[in-house]
Every structure is written in C-alpha cells, then in structure tokens.
Amino acid sequence: MSSSPVEERSRAGRESAARVALVEATAQIMLDEGYAAATSRRVAAKAGVKSALVHYYFPTMDDLFVEVVRTRAEMNLQRQREALSDDEPLHALWRISSEHDARLWMEIMALANHRKAIRSEIAAYADRFRDVEESVVTLALRSHGADMAAFPPVVLSMIVAILPRMVVLEQHLGITRGHAEATAFVEQYLDRFELRKESRSDP
Amino acid sequence: MSSSPVEERSRAGRESAARVALVEATAQIMLDEGYAAATSRRVAAKAGVKSALVHYYFPTMDDLFVEVVRTRAEMNLQRQREALSDDEPLHALWRISSEHDARLWMEIMALANHRKAIRSEIAAYADRFRDVEESVVTLALRSHGADMAAFPPVVLSMIVAILPRMVVLEQHLGITRGHAEATAFVEQYLDRFELRKESRSDP
DNA sequence: GTCTATAATGCGATAGAC
DNA sequence: GTCTATCGCATTATAGAC
C-alpha cells in the first residue's frame, strides 16, 4: 500500500481518487446518455484516466456497474436515515422520492433486467429501502388510529415511493398530464396523517 | 411494386414480411436482452435476413426503434379500445396494465430518455392512452356520485396504470414485498366503483 | 428486395513497461 | 497505480452485384 497520511483512513485502497472518479463518471454517463453509453473508454475519458485503468479496478464492466448501484444505494439509504429524524418523516420520505434521481434508477433497473449481478444488488437495496418506508408509514397511521386493514401501510408507502418517481420520469419525456393532481392528492393524504396543528401558518 | 395478389392490400410495402419480422424481432430482443442488444446484426439474424436489409428498410437504427414504439403503442391502444366495451371497463383497464408488457415499456422509456425521436413518439402515445383511462374512470366515479374533488379521476387512473406495471417490473427483479397488498388494495377500490351486485359468486 | 463485401470506427480485455 | 500498445471481435452504414 502506498497510502499517504491523508489516505490512510480509507479502506484498503477502495477509495482511491481514480476509482471514485470512475464510479462517479459512470453514473453521470448513465444518467446523461444511458447505460449503453457507459463504455470503458468513455468513463475513463470522463474520469481523466486511461481505459486500461478501468479494468485494473473493475475486471469486467459488470463489476463497475455493480459498484455504481452499491454507491448510489448507500447514498439513498443515508438520505432516508436523515429523513427519519425529520419533524415530519412521512413528508420527508415523500420529498426524498421526489428528489431521488429517478432517471438514474430507471437506467439501473433496465440494466438489472438483463444482468444477474445487478439484479441481486438492486433487490437487496429495494428491500432495505422499503423496510424503512413501511415502518415510518405504519407508525404514522397507528398514531392516528387509522384503519390499517383498509389502508395497508405498505401500499401507502409504495404509492408515496413510486408516484413521484414516475412523475419525474414522465416530465422528462414531455408528459405532464395528471402530475399536479397526483402530487396534490398524495400531499393531502400525508397532511392528514402527519400535520402538526401548531405549525401551519399559525405558529 | 412486385406485390403478389395476397400482398396487394398492404400499404405501399410498409408491411412486407421482412419488414414486419424485423420490427417484431427487435421488440423481442429488447425485451429479452435489453435495447443495447438490439443491434442491426442481431435483429437481422433473428428475423432471418441479412443485416444490410435492416438499413434498407430503416436507414438508421433510430428509425427501427421508432417503428417498434409505434407498433406496440397501436397494439396497446387497440387493447384499450376493446376494454371499453367490457362489462367492467375499470377492471378491464386494470387487467390491461397488469398484462401489459411493462418490461418492454421500461426498455422503451430508458431508450426515450436519450433519443429525441423516441421521446416524441412515446409522449404522443402516453397522452392518448391516459386520455381514455381518465374518461373511463371519470364515468365510473360520476355514476357512483363519488367526491371527485377529493379523489381526482386522473390520479386513480395513474395509480391503476402505474402500480401493476411496477409490480411486474419488481417481481422480475426478485422484489415481492407489498405486491399482494397493493393488488388487493386497488381491486377493492375498483370493486367499490364498479361492482355489478348480481354478478359476484351469486349469479 | 435481397444479397456479398467492405470501410471506418469502437468495443472489452490483456500484456508488459515504468 | 498508471500508462502504451495491441488483439480480436462487433458495430453502423454504404457500394454495388443480382
């Protein structure tokens, strides 16, 4: 290991500048031009290194894609953790979904449809993510004595997770119909289960 | 034109056997292996012709992809039209969404994210599709005197359209959490607005 | 309308120098 | 750890025979 003092805390060279740059460049190209455009030569150029280095860090391109999924999954789970300590975790989760880079995840899902390694990675992530979502929603509903048989928390959490992502995707395609109504509808339901009376326009 | 008597009714050679086979082969490869695998050579091989013929019918690969989108869009709009004459059009639309090839549309959307020609094509289709969905839902709600301000038809129609597609996609990725509950939830709402009392388990 | 042949480019991956 | 150089193959697209 040729770690300088500054790098010493990084885990076994997994965070060398070039490696991190390659993963980030790959995500960026996938987002901008699609997963098919993320070739070893293109990501190397964007990261400012030569393409042979891609194969030094990631023997196959699949290894690189898996690392992109892992990295972005951890980023999102971290954002989710932060949302839990929000005053209104339900609203915070909804906001995460909206800000979420839905378009990158669409690329990742399309990729996962045809690559086993990525499929397992994304499935594991989705399970962890939905775990947290469901428990937050369950808590919110319970504290309002909602009828959870008629309105299962996991369903509300799926709608809260999926609808805003779909709106983002559609907007990029030039589709806008129903978006305003869908957003208003979900927010109205969130308010119903998580509105701190003393905090709205009347502090 | 060298049309045989049988082919005479087809519009200006746009439906030659080879051309149709190429479009179908492309859709199949996109579904099975992703849009990146749909190369001129691969689709030609699958259609049983030589790759130069692909470029005879479709000067660029984008032209071919656009034709796939057009063809599948027309197929789905036709299925939708048939659903309208169903005894329970709301349930029929829900069924279409479920049977819908969500995975192919995911590929098409990923492709559309980065290719302008395909983007316009899919936007036009989505608008026509959602048009019909919305009016069917509006009719169903109105005939039950539902509160449409609190429950906008376009939102219900989005949920009815998106949720089952998402379930299909996730299932293929190995995610199952919440699927049964989501399905049951939507069906319960459909039944509420479109249940012919005399037809259920008591004919 | 369909083919053979080919040009020009880009790809993933590896060997080996430094 | 990063580079140069290269192998072998696939890609889109075109030219031109039939």
Side-chain angles (χ1 to χ4, degrees), chain A residues 90-91 93-98 133 137 154-165 186 189-190:
Chain A
L90 214 49
H91 285 79
L93 280 185
W94 165 253
R95 251 179 285 125
I96 282 184
S97 289
S98 301
E133 269 178 337
V137 173
V154 72
V155 176
L156 177 54
S157 78
M158 281 181 76
I159 292 175
V160 168
I162 290 169
L163 219 52
R165 288 179 177 85
V186 171
Y189 268 80
L190 295 186

Side-chain angles (χ1 to χ4, degrees), chain A residues 67-86:
Chain A
E67 190 60 21
V68 169
V69 176
R70 255 198 262 268
T71 304
R72 306 302 273 224
E74 285 307 328
M75 279 173 55
N76 285 334
L77 288 166
Q78 177 56 32
R79 285 207 265 173
Q80 203 190 35
R81 257 173 249 125
E82 286 162 14
L84 291 188
S85 51
D86 194 285

Side-chain angles (χ1 to χ4, degrees), chain A residues 39-41 52 55 60-61:
Chain A
T39 67
S40 54
R41 287 163 151 80
H55 300 293
T60 72
M61 289 303 287

Side-chain angles (χ1 to χ4, degrees), chain B residues 161-189:
Chain B
I162 289 169
L163 218 52
R165 288 180 177 83
M166 210 60 205
V167 166
V168 171
L169 291 178
E170 289 191 355
Q171 241 156 15
H172 190 253
L173 298 178
I175 306 167
T176 58
R177 167 170 230 145
H179 290 183
E181 293 90 338
T183 303
F185 176 77
V186 171
E187 281 175 353
Q188 166 193 333
Y189 268 81

